[in-house]
Amino acid sequence: MLIQKKPSWFIPENEATAESAYLNRRQILAAMGFGIAGGMGILPSLAEAAISGIPAPRNPAYQLDRDITPEDDATTYTNFYEFGSSKNIWRKAKRLKPDPWQVTIDGMVEEKIKIDASDLIAQLGDQEERLYRHRCVEAWAMAVPWTGVPLEKLVKFAKPAAGAKYLRFETFLDPDIAPGQRQRWYPWPYVEGITMAEARNELPMLVTGIYGKALPNQNGAPLRLVLPWKYGFKSIKSISRITFTDERPVSFWEGLQAKEYGFWANVNPAFDHPRWSQKTERLLGSGDRVPTQLYNGYAEQVADLYADMPQERNLFF
Ligand SMILES: Nc1nc2c(c(=O)[nH]1)N[C@H]1C(S)=C(S)[C@@H](COP(=O)(O)O)O[C@H]1N2
Ligand SMILES: [Mo]
């Protein structure tokens, strides 16, 4: 495949244009001519939840060391390249139709299935809410309440063959809905992958909601992955296929630029991105800069997974 290499995919936010990078939602609304009060009505509407069980009881085991990010910031400052490369694409993402939504589970499984996202979640059992930090490779961060089910439940449900070593996740492909997918230099559809051992860890979640409501489209409706110890690009949105495989998947960003966006992508302040520092991160909302933490602060849960890998390798290769 011929990929036309663009010099600046994944523009770090400090190089991005002012309006996409620094305006908060109120400023954006004001710039568009909406008053603060009037603005409330045009918030991305959280349509009737097709997926039941939201809101879900919070699991108290997952505590934060920082404030929860204001909802407006987490739902209007988003990365979803299918709808464009700016952060304020929440309006464009309204075109996505997350219900009904077919998810295919295939590859090295007992039986290939195609199932609606709401039925899949119902099969996986009760949903729960967890407060997690999220760290984008571009050095912005947030802390949000996600609703979903632990990914290990999906693994059990899928009954993978003993030889399956990886999970490969794929986002929908429909350039009529997602104009970013017309940009041919990107290897659409968006793909991500993790190992089976990572999938069986307690942290990964298959997420259906945020702030106690169904996921707004721009945050990855109706179903996304959340991997809080890895750079945010691994947390793939709007999943349409989950494949169990013995071959390591090549993820979307890895396929574009493996030296900048590796397969493992574990958050690590000791290794800078080739084009910017990873030592600190900027919190959405307050704008405060805080130190980056190894594994985004989740070393206790995940460090064992990488015990025999040199640190640099567990970031890139
Ligand atoms: N399909 C898809 N998933 C995606 C992305 C994307 O562009 N497309 N962006 C990733 C990146 S870079 C980040 S930081 C997170 C952002 O999630 P949020 O917008 O809900 O904060 O989604 C990830 N998942
Ligand atoms: Mo990101």
Side-chain angles (χ1 to χ4, degrees), residues 275-290:
R275 291 184 281 134
W276 59 89
S277 167
Q278 295 291 26
K279 290 179 185 59
T280 63
E281 60 201 34
R282 184 185 65 88
L283 303 181
L284 291 193
S286 70
D288 291 348
R289 262 200 182 272
V290 300

PDB file of all heavy atoms in Angstrom, residues 275-290:
ATOM      1  N   ARG A 275       9.337  14.320  19.123  1.00  0.00           N
ATOM      2  CA  ARG A 275       9.110  15.734  18.835  1.00  0.00           C
ATOM      3  C   ARG A 275       8.677  16.570  20.039  1.00  0.00           C
ATOM      4  O   ARG A 275       8.466  17.763  19.898  1.00  0.00           O
ATOM      5  CB  ARG A 275       8.096  15.863  17.689  1.00  0.00           C
ATOM      6  CG  ARG A 275       8.676  15.388  16.348  1.00  0.00           C
ATOM      7  CD  ARG A 275       7.718  15.585  15.174  1.00  0.00           C
ATOM      8  NE  ARG A 275       6.696  14.555  15.136  1.00  0.00           N
ATOM      9  CZ  ARG A 275       5.402  14.781  14.947  1.00  0.00           C
ATOM     10  NH1 ARG A 275       4.969  16.018  14.815  1.00  0.00           N
ATOM     11  NH2 ARG A 275       4.551  13.779  14.896  1.00  0.00           N
ATOM     12  N   TRP A 276       8.482  15.959  21.202  1.00  0.00           N
ATOM     13  CA  TRP A 276       8.135  16.755  22.382  1.00  0.00           C
ATOM     14  C   TRP A 276       8.369  15.949  23.661  1.00  0.00           C
ATOM     15  O   TRP A 276       8.509  14.729  23.615  1.00  0.00           O
ATOM     16  CB  TRP A 276       6.698  17.296  22.325  1.00  0.00           C
ATOM     17  CG  TRP A 276       5.617  16.265  22.224  1.00  0.00           C
ATOM     18  CD1 TRP A 276       4.993  15.648  23.267  1.00  0.00           C
ATOM     19  CD2 TRP A 276       5.016  15.741  21.024  1.00  0.00           C
ATOM     20  NE1 TRP A 276       4.049  14.768  22.786  1.00  0.00           N
ATOM     21  CE2 TRP A 276       4.038  14.820  21.422  1.00  0.00           C
ATOM     22  CE3 TRP A 276       5.195  15.982  19.656  1.00  0.00           C
ATOM     23  CZ2 TRP A 276       3.253  14.114  20.498  1.00  0.00           C
ATOM     24  CZ3 TRP A 276       4.420  15.277  18.735  1.00  0.00           C
ATOM     25  CH2 TRP A 276       3.456  14.362  19.168  1.00  0.00           C
ATOM     26  N   SER A 277       8.386  16.660  24.767  1.00  0.00           N
ATOM     27  CA  SER A 277       8.657  16.028  26.065  1.00  0.00           C
ATOM     28  C   SER A 277       7.427  15.275  26.582  1.00  0.00           C
ATOM     29  O   SER A 277       6.297  15.702  26.382  1.00  0.00           O
ATOM     30  CB  SER A 277       9.048  17.104  27.076  1.00  0.00           C
ATOM     31  OG  SER A 277       9.024  16.571  28.384  1.00  0.00           O
ATOM     32  N   GLN A 278       7.673  14.207  27.294  1.00  0.00           N
ATOM     33  CA  GLN A 278       6.573  13.491  27.965  1.00  0.00           C
ATOM     34  C   GLN A 278       6.697  13.608  29.483  1.00  0.00           C
ATOM     35  O   GLN A 278       6.014  12.893  30.211  1.00  0.00           O
ATOM     36  CB  GLN A 278       6.568  11.997  27.567  1.00  0.00           C
ATOM     37  CG  GLN A 278       6.273  11.720  26.104  1.00  0.00           C
ATOM     38  CD  GLN A 278       4.836  12.041  25.685  1.00  0.00           C
ATOM     39  OE1 GLN A 278       4.169  12.893  26.294  1.00  0.00           O
ATOM     40  NE2 GLN A 278       4.358  11.392  24.641  1.00  0.00           N
ATOM     41  N   LYS A 279       7.551  14.509  29.962  1.00  0.00           N
ATOM     42  CA  LYS A 279       7.787  14.568  31.406  1.00  0.00           C
ATOM     43  C   LYS A 279       6.607  15.131  32.184  1.00  0.00           C
ATOM     44  O   LYS A 279       6.384  14.778  33.333  1.00  0.00           O
ATOM     45  CB  LYS A 279       9.042  15.392  31.696  1.00  0.00           C
ATOM     46  CG  LYS A 279      10.297  14.645  31.254  1.00  0.00           C
ATOM     47  CD  LYS A 279      11.571  15.419  31.497  1.00  0.00           C
ATOM     48  CE  LYS A 279      12.755  14.655  30.908  1.00  0.00           C
ATOM     49  NZ  LYS A 279      12.608  14.424  29.432  1.00  0.00           N
ATOM     50  N   THR A 280       5.855  16.016  31.552  1.00  0.00           N
ATOM     51  CA  THR A 280       4.678  16.567  32.224  1.00  0.00           C
ATOM     52  C   THR A 280       3.484  16.465  31.297  1.00  0.00           C
ATOM     53  O   THR A 280       3.627  16.186  30.106  1.00  0.00           O
ATOM     54  CB  THR A 280       4.866  18.046  32.614  1.00  0.00           C
ATOM     55  OG1 THR A 280       5.033  18.819  31.418  1.00  0.00           O
ATOM     56  CG2 THR A 280       6.064  18.243  33.522  1.00  0.00           C
ATOM     57  N   GLU A 281       2.311  16.716  31.871  1.00  0.00           N
ATOM     58  CA  GLU A 281       1.080  16.689  31.080  1.00  0.00           C
ATOM     59  C   GLU A 281       0.193  17.852  31.506  1.00  0.00           C
ATOM     60  O   GLU A 281       0.284  18.343  32.631  1.00  0.00           O
ATOM     61  CB  GLU A 281       0.350  15.354  31.264  1.00  0.00           C
ATOM     62  CG  GLU A 281      -0.058  15.071  32.705  1.00  0.00           C
ATOM     63  CD  GLU A 281      -0.316  13.587  32.980  1.00  0.00           C
ATOM     64  OE1 GLU A 281       0.372  12.737  32.380  1.00  0.00           O
ATOM     65  OE2 GLU A 281      -1.198  13.293  33.796  1.00  0.00           O
ATOM     66  N   ARG A 282      -0.661  18.288  30.595  1.00  0.00           N
ATOM     67  CA  ARG A 282      -1.560  19.412  30.870  1.00  0.00           C
ATOM     68  C   ARG A 282      -2.961  18.875  31.119  1.00  0.00           C
ATOM     69  O   ARG A 282      -3.501  18.121  30.298  1.00  0.00           O
ATOM     70  CB  ARG A 282      -1.584  20.368  29.678  1.00  0.00           C
ATOM     71  CG  ARG A 282      -2.419  21.616  29.909  1.00  0.00           C
ATOM     72  CD  ARG A 282      -2.497  22.470  28.657  1.00  0.00           C
ATOM     73  NE  ARG A 282      -3.207  21.809  27.566  1.00  0.00           N
ATOM     74  CZ  ARG A 282      -4.520  21.876  27.375  1.00  0.00           C
ATOM     75  NH1 ARG A 282      -5.279  22.565  28.203  1.00  0.00           N
ATOM     76  NH2 ARG A 282      -5.073  21.244  26.356  1.00  0.00           N
ATOM     77  N   LEU A 283      -3.545  19.253  32.256  1.00  0.00           N
ATOM     78  CA  LEU A 283      -4.878  18.751  32.590  1.00  0.00           C
ATOM     79  C   LEU A 283      -5.954  19.556  31.874  1.00  0.00           C
ATOM     80  O   LEU A 283      -5.977  20.788  31.977  1.00  0.00           O
ATOM     81  CB  LEU A 283      -5.098  18.836  34.112  1.00  0.00           C
ATOM     82  CG  LEU A 283      -4.079  18.096  34.984  1.00  0.00           C
ATOM     83  CD1 LEU A 283      -4.434  18.243  36.458  1.00  0.00           C
ATOM     84  CD2 LEU A 283      -4.002  16.616  34.582  1.00  0.00           C
ATOM     85  N   LEU A 284      -6.821  18.863  31.155  1.00  0.00           N
ATOM     86  CA  LEU A 284      -7.968  19.542  30.545  1.00  0.00           C
ATOM     87  C   LEU A 284      -8.765  20.178  31.671  1.00  0.00           C
ATOM     88  O   LEU A 284      -8.898  19.613  32.745  1.00  0.00           O
ATOM     89  CB  LEU A 284      -8.883  18.551  29.809  1.00  0.00           C
ATOM     90  CG  LEU A 284      -8.382  17.883  28.541  1.00  0.00           C
ATOM     91  CD1 LEU A 284      -9.557  17.199  27.826  1.00  0.00           C
ATOM     92  CD2 LEU A 284      -7.695  18.859  27.599  1.00  0.00           C
ATOM     93  N   GLY A 285      -9.325  21.342  31.417  1.00  0.00           N
ATOM     94  CA  GLY A 285     -10.099  22.022  32.454  1.00  0.00           C
ATOM     95  C   GLY A 285      -9.246  23.055  33.151  1.00  0.00           C
ATOM     96  O   GLY A 285      -9.204  24.205  32.747  1.00  0.00           O
ATOM     97  N   SER A 286      -8.485  22.620  34.157  1.00  0.00           N
ATOM     98  CA  SER A 286      -7.701  23.587  34.932  1.00  0.00           C
ATOM     99  C   SER A 286      -6.526  24.133  34.135  1.00  0.00           C
ATOM    100  O   SER A 286      -6.056  25.231  34.380  1.00  0.00           O
ATOM    101  CB  SER A 286      -7.162  22.923  36.205  1.00  0.00           C
ATOM    102  OG  SER A 286      -6.157  21.967  35.871  1.00  0.00           O
ATOM    103  N   GLY A 287      -6.015  23.341  33.200  1.00  0.00           N
ATOM    104  CA  GLY A 287      -4.823  23.749  32.465  1.00  0.00           C
ATOM    105  C   GLY A 287      -3.536  23.533  33.251  1.00  0.00           C
ATOM    106  O   GLY A 287      -2.451  23.830  32.761  1.00  0.00           O
ATOM    107  N   ASP A 288      -3.649  23.000  34.472  1.00  0.00           N
ATOM    108  CA  ASP A 288      -2.449  22.765  35.292  1.00  0.00           C
ATOM    109  C   ASP A 288      -1.517  21.762  34.615  1.00  0.00           C
ATOM    110  O   ASP A 288      -1.980  20.835  33.955  1.00  0.00           O
ATOM    111  CB  ASP A 288      -2.836  22.191  36.668  1.00  0.00           C
ATOM    112  CG  ASP A 288      -3.554  23.204  37.530  1.00  0.00           C
ATOM    113  OD1 ASP A 288      -3.560  24.398  37.176  1.00  0.00           O
ATOM    114  OD2 ASP A 288      -4.128  22.794  38.562  1.00  0.00           O
ATOM    115  N   ARG A 289      -0.215  21.970  34.831  1.00  0.00           N
ATOM    116  CA  ARG A 289       0.777  20.992  34.380  1.00  0.00           C
ATOM    117  C   ARG A 289       1.192  20.132  35.547  1.00  0.00           C
ATOM    118  O   ARG A 289       1.538  20.646  36.613  1.00  0.00           O
ATOM    119  CB  ARG A 289       2.009  21.693  33.809  1.00  0.00           C
ATOM    120  CG  ARG A 289       1.927  21.757  32.348  1.00  0.00           C
ATOM    121  CD  ARG A 289       3.146  21.971  31.543  1.00  0.00           C
ATOM    122  NE  ARG A 289       2.640  22.020  30.181  1.00  0.00           N
ATOM    123  CZ  ARG A 289       2.476  20.965  29.400  1.00  0.00           C
ATOM    124  NH1 ARG A 289       2.849  19.769  29.802  1.00  0.00           N
ATOM    125  NH2 ARG A 289       1.954  21.089  28.202  1.00  0.00           N
ATOM    126  N   VAL A 290       1.150  18.825  35.383  1.00  0.00           N
ATOM    127  CA  VAL A 290       1.539  17.914  36.461  1.00  0.00           C
ATOM    128  C   VAL A 290       2.517  16.895  35.885  1.00  0.00           C
ATOM    129  O   VAL A 290       2.544  16.667  34.677  1.00  0.00           O
ATOM    130  CB  VAL A 290       0.302  17.210  37.080  1.00  0.00           C
ATOM    131  CG1 VAL A 290      -0.675  18.225  37.667  1.00  0.00           C
ATOM    132  CG2 VAL A 290      -0.401  16.331  36.048  1.00  0.00           C
TER     133      VAL A 290
END
